[in-house]
Amino acid sequence: MVRNGSADDPIGKSGIAHFLEHLMFKGTAAHAQGEFSNVVAELGGQENAFTSFDYTAYFQRVPRAHLARMMEFEADRMTGLLLADEQVAPERDVVLEERRMRTDSDPSQQPSEAMQSALFAHHPYGLPIIGWEHEIAGLGREDALAYYRRFYTPENAALVVAGDVDVEEVRASPRPFTAKFPHAAPAPSACARRSRRCAPIASSASPTPRSSNPPPPRFTSCPPPAPARPARPRRSTCSPIFWAAAPPACSTAGW
């Protein structure tokens, strides 16, 4: 999982995080396009990827014995992605068609997208994850590589392993593949990553005749942190979900 999502898309390039997610399957110098997916299929496994507002996730579901092999593939494409113009342009058309199918042709999605944009008018969450159509059409190879170099680093990634595995074995598995990763700067905070949206954006527009005041900045400060979640009361032991054979004597001391 990479700690960036559509909320980190540069202004004017909405959809680049999702677009790069597609391009991450185009192969590296060590593994040709489609090899990763073919290996997962031959093992009887499953794979996929998805983009959210704050992260992009890539996952595989395989037998435990092949965990190290999956890590090798992921480590390779974390640093060795190869992109050619003949791969990028067709994939951009795929994303455009995905938008037309899932949003433009779906009457329920159009008001949902408009509402999201209105609710977060001055925040990155107002951008659709897939991007605006006219901005997707302008994305190219250099945009994808610049985004890849900026965010796809070990300091900005998280490895999640779930299943019948040994913790120490999992901890040791990535080391042979990550030892040669180039060192990058520590991952910035979410607010720092989105500083281009947190800082005032100068406007060249002249004031309207009705007012001598200049237009307000698009976004002047980072959103405040979410308030701490209040502690939930402890459930009484007389609740039926705690019964084993017979209900215990009811007590309210646990509340």
Side-chain angles (χ1 to χ4, degrees):
M1 181 176 71
V2 185
R3 193 173 58 180
N4 73 279
S6 64
D8 298 294
D9 291 350
I11 294 175
K13 298 185 184 296
S14 64
I16 185 64
H18 173 255
F19 184 35
L20 181 58
E21 175 216 312
H22 280 239
L23 297 174
M24 287 293 288
F25 292 86
K26 298 305 180 183
T28 66
H31 301 289
Q33 178 178 347
E35 181 180 345
F36 193 174
S37 299
N38 290 337
V39 169
V40 173
E42 289 171 0
L43 296 175
Q46 297 174 317
E47 63 158 354
N48 212 328
F50 59 91
T51 304
S52 185
F53 288 116
D54 299 304
Y55 64 92
T56 306
Y58 303 84
F59 71 88
Q60 300 83 39
R61 186 179 292 113
V62 297
R64 170 183 174 178
H66 304 286
L67 176 60
R69 195 173 186 187
M70 296 298 102
M71 292 185 178
E72 177 187 2
F73 274 110
E74 288 291 8
D76 179 49
R77 69 175 174 181
M78 172 69 76
T79 57
L81 181 66
L82 295 179
L83 294 178
D85 289 329
E86 55 268 23
Q87 295 174 313
V88 173
E91 198 63 36
R92 182 177 58 231
D93 293 338
V94 170
V95 175
L96 285 168
E97 186 59 33
E98 180 182 344
R99 178 182 167 85
R100 296 185 189 109
M101 179 179 67
R102 294 187 176 182
T103 303
D104 300 341
S105 300
D106 188 339
S108 66
Q109 284 299 314
Q110 293 178 34
S112 176
E113 183 179 85
M115 181 180 68
Q116 185 79 6
S117 180
L119 288 174
F120 296 96
H122 304 299
H123 190 277
Y125 286 0
L127 300 174
I129 292 175
I130 197 170
W132 301 115
E133 182 175 5
H134 66 285
E135 293 185 351
I136 299 171
L139 299 177
R141 175 177 177 272
E142 292 305 319
D143 298 318
L145 288 176
Y147 198 87
Y148 174 73
R149 298 186 188 107
R150 172 68 180 85
F151 290 108
Y152 280 66
T153 65
E155 290 82 0
N156 203 40
L159 173 65
V160 180
V161 179
D164 182 20
V165 295
D166 179 77
V167 175
E168 295 304 321
E169 179 184 341
V170 170
R171 287 177 175 171
S173 296
R175 291 172 186 168
F177 314 119
T178 60
K180 297 182 180 180
F181 275 173
H183 293 284
S189 65
C191 187
R193 295 203 315 269
R194 297 162 190 172
S195 59
R196 59 191 173 279
R197 297 190 183 279
C198 297
I201 300 173
S203 174
S204 59
S206 59
T208 61
R210 297 184 181 180
S211 173
S212 59
N213 297 324
R218 182 180 178 186
F219 192 61
T220 56
S221 62
C222 294
R229 181 179 298 177
R232 297 178 61 186
R234 193 153 53 94
R235 189 184 298 270
S236 169
T237 54
C238 63
S239 171
I241 65 170
F242 288 93
W243 292 356
C250 186
S251 170
T252 59
W255 286 93

